[in-house]
Amino acid sequence: MGAMVLTAGAAPAFLAKPFVTTDALNAGGIVVSSGDAFKQRAIDMSQKTAATSQGQDTDGVAWTWQAKQYEGSTVAAKTADCLALLNINFKRFKVEYRLNGGAWTIFPGADYTGADFAADHLILPLDPAAGVTIDEWLVTATHTQTPNQEKSLGLFLPSVQKFQASRGTSDLNMKPEEQVVTVKLFDGTLDQTNILHNDADFDFMRTPLLFLAVPDTEEPSYAALRGDFFLFVPQPGKYPNQWFLCRVAPNTYNAAPLSMDRDSRLMRVALSVEEVGGA
Amino acid sequence: MAIAVSQAYKDVQARRGGKTARVVVQYKRRYFDTGAVAFAYEPNWHTLAQRDFLDPGEIVNQLDVAEPSIFKSSTVTLRPNNTRNQWVRSVNDPSVFAADALAPNGYYDDQTLFQILYSFLLPDGTWGDCAQFTGFAADYTPLPRTGEMQILVSASLLAEKCAAVKVNTTVTGEAVANSVVNEPLNPSPGDGTTAVLKTTSTGVIKVVNVKANGVALTLTTDYSVSIPTDGTAAAITLVSPAAQNGKVLTATLITKNLLTASQAVTLIKTVYADGVALAQGGDYTYALPTSLVGPAQITLVDPTLWIGKAFTWDGAKGQLTKKVEEAVALYCDASGIGSGSRNIQPVIFPGGLSSSKTVDTESDWEAGTLLQNLTTTLTPGSIFKKWFLIDDFSDGDYTANPPWTVAANNGSVSIVSSALQLTATNLLTSVYTASQFTLGTFRYRFKGVGSVYFMADSNANSGGNPTGNWYRLTIDNVAGTVSFVRPFFTIATASGLSLGSGFNEFRVTRDAGGNFNVFLNGTQIISAADSTYSASSYMFVVCPWNGAGTVTAAITDIYTSSELDGIGAVSGSATIAELVFNLLATPAALGMLDHFEVLNGGAVVYKTASAPDSAGSPGTWDALQVLGAGNQMASTPRQWLKLRVEINPGTGLYVSPEVQKLVAHFTSSTVTLSQVAPTSGTAWDKIQVYARMCNYETGWDASGVFFFRSRTVSGAAVLALDPWTNVIHVDDTHPGWDRVFNIGHASQPPYEYYYTKTDAGEAEPTSERRFGPIQRDLDFSGELVANDAQIGKAAAQTAYQDNYRPRWRCRAQTKLAPWLELSDPVTLTFVPDRKLLESIAGDPLQASGFAGAQGVALAVNKKMKIVGITKKLAAATADLLLEEILS
C-alpha cells in the first residue's frame, strides 16, 4: 500500500488517533517559546482554535512548539507515516523529530526554511514503509504569510495511516451535535448556554457513511475502526482541513454482500462516525 | 459563603445567550514520599479531557435539611473513560497512576484529589473558573460494560475516616501519682504515748513522706513502716512517740487504687511494676475519667503482691483546656486537613456564656498566689486569720494598744527593746491585759524568771496574783525549769532546760479535748491533758521576788492562733489571700463576686484586679478595685483575674472572720473545653458536636476548604432571584410550622436548662399559645466546659430564639449561578401565576402581580438563606432549598 491520496476527489481516509495527546499535556511534555496558555490548542481537535505565539510577532523571530509523545505518564515512541499541520499561518518553518533525545531530523517534506509556504495546511503522507520512529517533535516557525503576525498552529497531527476507502461514500451528511443547554425561566424567556468540548467548539460532528461495492478484502479495515478512536478525513481533496477525531457510533456498523450478486466479492458497508472531542 | 468570582464572570452568567461555558474535571494524584516518609500530592492539576468523563451529575450540598444542625457531607460520582483500564492502579502504563520521576513507585489511587470547575468564557477571551466541588476519591468501581470507572469522590473523606482518638497524645512510662497525699494517721495529733500509728486507707503498698506538723520525719531515725500482707491499713511505728506529741502526723500513701499523674487519660495500655508489665484483669483493672477532668484510676487486684513497687503506665491522654476552635483545629490536624485547607472561625457564643470561678475547698484556697497570715486547715474549705498579735511593744508603750494594767509594782514596769520588762525588788510585780485564748496556740517570747498566765478568766488578783481560774507557765531560766500549773496544782514540769539569759520562744497548744502541749523553741517539752478550765478573758505576766536582789522578767511578741501550731512561722501581717485565675480568654464582662462569710464581729474586704495575657502568664496587673454596688467586680475585663480577700477581725477581738466561699461570675463569649479526650467516634462526629454546641455550621466549600463558622447570615444578598433573571420555578413551599420549637432545653449534667417564652418576655400571642409547647432538646452531657460555663443555658436560649418563629421555606429551581454556596443570602421574588408577570408598559417591575395585587406574590424581595443547593452542571440549573431569614 502506498501513501494515501489526499488530493481532489480523494476518498475518505482513516488514520490512527494522533500521537500527541492530553497525556503529553498532563505530563508537561508540551513546551512553547511563548503562548504557554494556548499550547494545548494544537491538539484540541478544534478547527477554530490555534496555539499561538505571544509577543513573537516579528518575522525572523523563531517561535517553537515542542511536544513529546506520551502514553499515560511515559514517553512513547511511535512510527509516524503521516503528519498534518492544519490551519497554520506559517511562511517559513520546519518540523523536526527525534528519538530518545537524539539529533533533530527534518520530517520528510516539512522544511520550508528556504522556501515560502503559502497554504493554510500541510499534509505529509509517507509511504508506510518509509515511516519514522519518533518520540518528540519540534515545530519552528520564523515568518508568517502575512508579515509580522503571531505564529499560529491550528492542529498538529502526527499519525499513522490506516486505510483509505477505495471508493467514495454515498452518504455523507455531517450534522453537528450541539452542546447547547437551554433554560426556560418562569417568565417564559429562554436562557442559553453553549457548553464547549474544547476551547472553541460546542458541537460534535456526526455523519452516516455508506460505502457501496467495497471489496470484501477491504471490509475488515472498516470493521476494525470500532476498536479505538481514529482520525477521519471525509473529503481530503475538497476540505483538506477537516480532520476529526472520531469513533464508530455504537450499533451503527453494518456490512453485507451486495444483494444483487450474493456470490460477488463486493460488500455494502454502512456505519456512522461521531466526533469524540479533543485528543 | 459565595465563591469569589469576578464581576465579568457574573456578567456572563447574567446573559441570556451568547455565553459559553465548560465543565472541567481536574485531579491531583497522591504518592508516597519515601524521603519524607509521608504522602504528598503532586503540585499541579491534571485536566481530564472532555471526552474522558461523563457529566458529573448532581452536586448536592445540604444544611439543616432534616433538622437544625444536621450536617450532610457531599459526594460526587465521576465516571471517566476507562477503556484502557487507565484508572486501574498500576505502576505501568497506561495507568493514570503509573510511575514517573516524581513517584518512582507509582501513585496511589485512593484519596486522589478531584476538583470540578464550571468556567465561563469571558469577554477578554480568557476562562473564568469557579470551583463547584473538591473531594477525595473514596471508591473505584470499574464499569466494564460502559468502559468507565465509577469514582466516588467525597469532600469529607479525611475527617469521616479519621478516628477521633488521633488527637490524643501517647504516654510512655509515666509514673503513677501517689494516690493519697498527706493522709492523717491514727492517732493524729500524736498523743505522746502511742507508737504504732495506722493509716486510714487500706490496701497500702507503700508509705512515703511521713510528716509531723508538715515537717518530714526521717525513716529509721524517726519511724519505721510496716506494710501488711493482708491488704489492711499500714502501720507507722514512731521511734519516739513523746517527741511527736500533739503534732499533726500525716503520711503519703500508695494504695491499691493508683492514680495517674496525667489528667484526661483515654487509654491505659500497660501498667508496669518496677518495669515489669502487669496483666490487665489479672493484676489490675482501670477506670478512665468519665465526665470530669481528672486522673484515671488503676486498681490493683491484689495489692499485697506489689508492696514497695514503683508503678508506671503506657497509654494515651487527651488535651486540656482548649477553645472550641482549637479543638476543631486539632481534629482537622488529625484528619490531615492542614491550616491552608480550613477556615475555622473563633467561636463567639451568641449572647455570651455565664461562667464562673469558684473557691470553696482547701485545695482551692491553697492554690492562692498570696496566702498571708491565714489558715486553710482550721476548717477545710474556709480561711481564717491565723495569728493574732496581742502585743509586740513596738510602739514603746504598754499603756495603750492594748493597755496593760499594772496589778502590782514592786520594782519596775517598762518597755526595753520592744519588750515589756518587769522587775521585782521586794514583792512581785504583775501586769495583765485582755486575752481570749482558750483553744489553739498561745505563743510568746520570754526571758528571765516569771510566770505567764496564758488563760485567766478574771482580772481579779491579790497583790498581783490572779485569784480566778487560770493556767500558767512558770519559767525559771536559772533553775532550767518550766512548770505547767493551774491553781493549787502543778500539772507537769519540764526540767534540765537550757534557757539561758536571752529570749526563748514558748508555745502552748490546747485542743478541744483538753490536750496541752508546750513547745520551747519548737521542741515539745510538756504534754498533758487538763480540762479543768475553759474560759479566759485576760493574761497576766508576773515577775516574782525570791527574797533577795532584783528579779527580772521580759515578754514580747505575744500571739494567739485558733490553730494548733507548735513550730510554724508566726506572722504579724495583715490577713490577705490572693487567688489568680486564667479565664482563658478576655471575658465579655465581669459580673458579681459572690462571697460567703461569717464575720464574727470583724470585716472582710474583697478586691479584684485584672491583667492581660502575656505568653500564658498574667501581664501587668491593674490596680486593685473594691467591689461596686451589688458586689459587682469593678476591674476591667481581661483574661487574668485576681481576687483579693482581706480579713480584719474586730478591734480587740481574737476571733477571725471566716470566709467560706467565693464565686466570681463573668460572661464569656468564647467556649473553652476542659478537655479534648475522645475515646471513640470520628473527627467528623466530634466536629459536628461542637458545631451543634455553639450553634455553628460546618462542612466543606466547593474549593475543598473545611469551614467551621457561625450560622448567622450577614451581609447583602449574593444574588437576586426573580422570574426575569434566574428563577425557573418555585415550589414545595412550607410555612415552617413543623420546625418551630418554643421551649429550648439543654442537658448539661448535673443541670438542666430551659428557656421559654417567659424568659424571653415574648409578646402575645406567644409562639407556645399559637403552636403549642414544642421542645427542642440538646444534650451536652459528653462535653465538659471550662470556667463552669453554662453552655447549656446559653444553648437553651439559642434553641428558643432561633426556632420560636416559623421560617418560610421553599424550593427554587434556577438557572445555574455557579458561585452560590450554602448559607449565602439571596432575595427571592416570585408570583405563582405567570400571567401576573406580564409587565405594564414593558416594565417588569410594574407587572400586575406586584403593582396591583401584592397578596398574590409568594415573595417579594424576601431575604432567604440557601440551606440546600443541588447544582446540575450539564443542565445549567440549580435546585435551591431556601429558608427565610427573620430579622
Side-chain angles (χ1 to χ4, degrees), chain B residues 79 82 141-150:
Chain B
R79 288 187 294 159
N82 191 43
T141 305
L143 304 174
R145 292 187 61 182
T146 58
E148 298 161 358
M149 177 68 86
Q150 179 171 291

Side-chain angles (χ1 to χ4, degrees), chain B residues 13-225:
Chain B
Q13 187 271 348
R15 291 180 192 166
R16 289 306 189 85
K19 59 173 177 274
T20 302
R22 69 177 179 185
V23 179
V24 176
V25 176
Q26 52 188 12
Y27 63 93
K28 285 184 181 181
R29 298 166 296 179
R30 196 171 70 125
Y31 66 97
F32 188 68
D33 184 338
T34 53
V37 194
F39 279 98
Y41 282 92
E42 57 186 330
N44 299 317
W45 290 104
H46 297 277
T47 301
L48 274 178
Q50 189 82 19
R51 70 155 192 272
D52 280 340
F53 72 91
L54 298 179
D55 167 29
E58 298 181 348
I59 300 174
V60 181
N61 293 282
Q62 294 179 323
L63 184 71
D64 295 349
V65 172
E67 61 176 281
S69 297
I70 297 299
F71 307 104
K72 298 277 189 181
S73 59
S74 299
T75 59
V76 162
T77 301
L78 297 174
R79 288 187 294 159
N81 177 13
N82 191 43
T83 50
R84 295 181 293 157
N85 278 333
Q86 61 266 49
W87 284 97
V88 175
R89 183 172 176 243
S90 167
V91 296
N92 300 314
D93 282 325
S95 173
V96 167
F97 308 104
D100 62 13
L102 183 62
N105 297 315
Y107 294 87
Y108 286 76
D109 48 358
D110 53 304
Q111 296 186 25
T112 299
L113 182 60
F114 285 91
Q115 186 169 60
I116 301 172
L117 306 174
Y118 193 86
S119 309
F120 278 126
L121 186 61
L122 304 181
D124 65 0
T126 63
W127 286 99
D129 295 329
C130 184
Q132 299 300 290
F133 181 82
T134 305
F136 300 90
D139 194 21
Y140 291 78
T141 305
L143 304 174
R145 292 187 61 182
T146 58
E148 298 161 358
M149 177 68 86
Q150 179 171 291
I151 305 175
L152 180 66
V153 183
S154 167
S156 55
L157 178 72
L158 299 185
E160 280 185 333
K161 297 293 184 188
C162 177
V165 294
K166 291 298 288 182
V167 304
N168 299 326
T169 56
T170 301
V171 177
T172 303
E174 181 183 282
V176 298
N178 298 328
S179 57
V180 181
V181 178
N182 290 337
E183 178 181 282
L185 300 173
N186 297 313
S188 178
D191 59 11
T193 58
T194 303
V196 180
L197 311 176
K198 291 294 183 95
T199 61
T200 300
S201 297
T202 57
V204 176
I205 57 174
K206 195 170 185 180
V207 175
V208 294
N209 286 339
V210 176
K211 295 179 181 177
N213 280 348
V215 177
L217 302 182
T218 303
L219 183 64
T220 306
T221 304
D222 296 327
Y223 70 94
S224 60
V225 173

Side-chain angles (χ1 to χ4, degrees), chain B residues 437 440-442 454 473 506-510 516-519:
Chain B
F437 169 74
T441 303
F442 189 93
F454 52 85
L473 290 183
F506 292 86
R507 297 194 194 198
V508 179
T509 65
R510 187 191 193 195
F516 283 89
N517 287 284
V518 178
F519 295 84

